[in-house]
Amino acid sequence: MELLDRSDPQRIGGITLRGRLGAGGMGRVFYGLTDDYEQVAVKIIREDLLGHTEARARFAREIDALRTVQGPHVAALVDASGEGEERPWLAVEYVRGLSLKEFVETCGPLDGEHAATLGVLLASALGDIHAAGLLHRDLKPGNILLGRDGAKVIDLGLVALVDGPTDLTTTASTLGTPACMSPEQANTPKQVTAATDVYSLGATLMFALAKHYPYDGKTVAALFMNIISADVKPDLAGVPEEFAPLITAMLAQDPADRPTVPETYERLKEVATSGGVTLPVAVRRFAVATYVERDSDPQDPTPPARPRRRDLSEVVVPGSVVAKLADRLRGAYAVGARF
């Protein structure tokens, strides 16, 4: 997190801005606090786009999508600008953890159990997005944040209606991130379906497991040609054997050959719980293993503790606690005793 620049706003709506989180194609993202001290990530449209009708319409579409989608694994909308405001903005819950892209690049690929659990959470998020009649169209490692409770999907800036025009204008311009883009999205962006999000989920899981994407190319044009060519197969190097059939199916050239989101969810759940653990336990293990706290508020002189990545096996319970618990259990199982 960086300090605010002199040119940055200090306050917007009922939110005090405290630092810079990053920037994207549509605007800059800030860390802020509401008047109730709720931490939020605030996206403000770029000043040079204020006069662009399409950019403003896309920003409004993202706000509408966030108001519509309800789900534990999609970052929730906290507040947003009204119709009459000159500079559109939106605020979503702040997730202090790293993005999946940052985590894999820093700590390395996920193991099979954690990757499967991640896939379950992302499939759940896509299910909630699709249930609202929307497509994400830009699911990728950079749009997935790893928080205390697992993974959350962010950035609905390219969201589209399932049963309507998928772009805001009549152009057929390609929108999305090439590395995770399906063949149909790269080739015919106005004819995408829910299967496009399944493909992006497959590409994201490949990155989580093997630290690379299905296709590569020396140029963006070469990458697009590899993606849309039926003769070029995705590179599965580094993908564990138990994941290869599912990942291959999710990356099928023909959208009709890909599993649905519910089918993907169930197949990943089988892997995540194959060791006899319940899904909630698998999610908790995933969260403990992947949560790395971001830098604190740059204006706060007392930064929070920064927990390192750790495994549940590292947790040590003091002997006094164990002894006390043992005494309680012996009492509980004594004849006539009540716990």
Side-chain angles (χ1 to χ4, degrees):
M1 191 184 304
E2 301 175 358
L3 290 169
L4 292 175
D5 186 79
R6 290 183 179 180
S7 61
D8 293 331
Q10 302 293 310
R11 189 172 169 83
I12 192 160
I15 300 169
T16 300
L17 305 184
R18 304 289 294 266
R20 287 183 168 196
L21 292 174
M26 289 289 293
R28 182 168 290 280
V29 182
F30 298 89
Y31 168 75
L33 293 173
T34 68
D35 289 340
D36 294 327
Y37 297 100
E38 182 176 0
Q39 298 180 88
V40 291
V42 184
K43 181 192 288 189
I44 303 177
I45 195 170
R46 280 171 27 199
E47 194 166 352
D48 61 308
L49 294 178
L50 290 176
H52 290 236
T53 303
E54 182 179 349
R56 293 182 70 100
R58 194 180 300 165
F59 203 92
R61 175 75 64 88
E62 181 174 5
I63 293 174
D64 288 342
L66 285 166
R67 287 193 174 115
T68 302
V69 177
Q70 301 289 329
H73 304 298
V74 179
L77 182 71
V78 176
D79 200 358
S81 56
E83 274 188 42
E85 292 193 43
E86 181 180 349
R87 191 169 184 182
W89 59 274
L90 62 87
V92 298
E93 61 176 307
Y94 177 63
V95 181
R96 194 175 285 280
L98 302 179
S99 72
L100 176 63
K101 183 175 187 296
E102 292 170 326
F103 183 88
V104 171
E105 289 177 345
T106 302
C107 303
L110 302 181
D111 64 24
E113 178 187 332
H114 292 148
T117 304
L118 169 67
V120 169
L121 300 181
L122 298 182
S124 176
L126 287 179
D128 291 329
I129 292 170
H130 294 173
L134 302 170
L135 305 175
H136 190 285
R137 294 200 303 172
D138 198 24
L139 187 71
K140 59 183 180 181
N143 282 343
I144 297 160
L145 298 182
L146 306 176
R148 292 182 182 275
D149 301 318
K152 286 193 183 267
V153 173
I154 63 170
D155 198 349
L156 301 186
L158 296 187
V159 74
L161 298 174
V162 172
D163 298 318
T166 58
D167 286 316
L168 295 167
T169 67
T170 57
T171 68
S173 57
T174 299
L175 299 173
T177 302
C180 294
M181 191 180 293
S182 69
E184 67 272 18
Q185 189 173 2
N187 201 26
T188 54
K190 295 182 72 65
Q191 298 178 16
V192 298
T193 65
T196 288
D197 284 342
V198 172
Y199 181 100
S200 297
L201 175 55
T204 297
L205 288 178
M206 176 180 283
F207 180 83
L209 285 162
K211 203 177 178 179
H212 67 81
Y213 297 103
Y215 298 96
D216 196 5
K218 293 183 178 179
T219 65
V220 174
L223 173 58
F224 275 125
M225 289 302 297
N226 288 335
I227 290 173
I228 67 176
S229 175
D231 296 327
V232 181
K233 303 303 180 184
D235 178 10
L236 296 180
V239 175
E241 185 177 343
E242 66 268 26
F243 282 89
L246 177 58
I247 297 292
T248 299
M250 296 172 75
L251 299 177
Q253 280 280 319
D254 187 343
D257 292 336
R258 297 173 202 151
T260 64
V261 170
E263 289 169 346
T264 300
Y265 177 95
E266 290 300 329
R267 291 174 68 175
L268 288 167
K269 182 180 176 182
E270 287 179 12
V271 179
T273 60
S274 61
V277 301
T278 63
L279 186 57
V281 171
V283 171
R284 181 56 190 157
R285 287 180 177 177
F286 169 80
V288 169
T290 60
Y291 177 65
V292 180
E293 196 165 276
R294 281 188 179 276
D295 292 328
S296 62
D297 182 344
Q299 298 184 39
D300 185 347
T302 309
R306 294 173 57 81
R308 62 185 177 89
R309 184 186 182 191
R310 62 193 181 113
D311 188 87
L312 283 175
S313 61
E314 296 178 347
V315 177
V316 178
V317 180
S320 59
V321 175
V322 174
K324 185 179 293 186
L325 180 58
D327 288 340
R328 292 186 66 190
L329 288 173
R330 279 194 291 269
Y333 287 99
V335 178
R338 300 182 62 182
F339 195 75

